[in-house]
Amino acid sequence: MSYFINTWRTPKHGHFREVEKLAQESLKATGRFGNLSVTVSHPRPTDSNLKVIGTVGGFQTADDVGDFFNSIWENESGFNNIEKINALCEQSNVSVSKVLNPGPMSVQDMEPLFIYRHFITPAKGAFSELSKMLVEWNQDTKLRVNSVVSHDLSGPATRIRVSQFVETLGVLEELQSEIWSDQRMARFSELVSGPPVRGLGRITLINRPE
């Protein structure tokens, strides 16, 4: 299974575009595949400001992730650049996630503009069945959607994240209708401990190193 790293930044008021621009430059400097997105529909709009979320992917093993962090720590100039971005934020953090579904980017010619993230907490003892269901379910759609089913290596021990990449909000609306009418929804409701937490982001950069 592969891994990816997220950076989560909450810019201070008046610095949103500056943080977004610097985060783009930082992502490009990694030389790795990834994307950058900004909040357009916050999962908890009364709790926090808009976020700038970066993703660096393509790590085939956990050791590859470790090597990447080591390279950042040993590069004083690069680390200082990260610190400068974070100084413009109210909050900044990093998370590592393991991809659960094989070949998540099945639609190869897609230029996604939106990412829809679902944070799902399984009921006690339901992680295995629920994660398998979500992987199979997200492979079934015929719509132009790329989905990544993942498991965070920090936070709640069994939480699952489903990230859906789409080119238009119309496709996302079709996908939601498809999901709600699926017969698996009844079993899904039994396997979760509560409603998923959702957030919508606008993708501002897809980094594809040559």
Side-chain angles (χ1 to χ4, degrees):
M1 294 293 180
S2 59
Y3 296 80
F4 63 89
I5 299 169
N6 280 125
T7 55
W8 308 85
R9 292 185 171 102
T10 306
K12 296 175 182 177
H13 288 298
H15 293 282
F16 188 85
R17 291 302 297 267
E18 184 179 4
V19 169
E20 190 272 336
K21 180 180 178 181
L22 291 172
Q24 282 201 22
E25 295 173 0
S26 179
L27 175 56
K28 291 175 183 177
T30 67
R32 303 190 66 94
F33 177 82
N35 66 75
L36 193 75
S37 64
V38 298
T39 308
V40 294
S41 187
H42 199 288
R44 295 187 177 90
T46 61
D47 291 351
S48 178
N49 296 336
L50 299 177
K51 293 188 180 296
V52 176
I53 303 171
T55 303
V56 182
F59 301 98
Q60 296 305 309
T61 68
D63 283 341
D64 290 340
V65 175
D67 290 342
F68 179 76
F69 281 128
N70 290 339
S71 69
I72 292 175
W73 187 256
E74 293 166 2
N75 182 347
E76 185 173 351
S77 175
F79 192 84
N80 287 342
N81 286 336
I82 293 173
E83 289 281 81
K84 289 176 183 177
I85 303 173
N86 293 345
L88 299 171
C89 300
E90 292 183 354
Q91 182 271 347
S92 60
N93 223 318
V94 178
S95 66
V96 179
S97 300
K98 183 176 183 177
V99 178
L100 301 179
N101 55 325
M105 297 303 183
S106 57
V107 183
Q108 297 296 326
D109 61 340
M110 177 184 287
E111 292 291 337
L113 287 179
F114 297 95
I115 176 171
Y116 199 37
R117 296 182 177 92
H118 308 250
F119 298 90
I120 304 167
T121 303
K124 186 176 181 179
F127 176 82
S128 180
E129 182 180 351
L130 180 60
S131 59
K132 182 179 179 181
M133 171 190 283
L134 291 170
V135 168
E136 293 175 349
W137 201 343
N138 280 274
Q139 291 173 334
D140 286 349
T141 184
K142 303 300 181 184
L143 298 171
R144 287 180 59 80
V145 179
N146 280 330
S147 297
V148 178
V149 182
S150 61
H151 176 220
D152 295 343
L153 300 190
S154 56
T158 59
R159 186 172 66 182
I160 300 169
R161 190 196 318 177
V162 178
S163 303
Q164 296 161 330
F165 295 81
V166 296
E167 293 170 307
T168 70
L169 292 180
V171 172
L172 184 59
E173 188 174 42
E174 289 183 65
L175 179 64
Q176 295 306 301
S177 296
E178 188 179 274
I179 291 171
W180 281 105
S181 62
D182 194 287
Q183 62 182 3
R184 286 170 287 199
M185 182 57 74
R187 182 56 179 160
F188 172 83
S189 299
E190 296 172 350
L191 294 174
V192 297
S193 66
V197 176
R198 304 175 298 174
L200 178 65
R202 169 66 161 82
I203 296 171
T204 62
L205 172 68
I206 297 178
N207 199 47
R208 295 189 179 97
E210 298 181 358

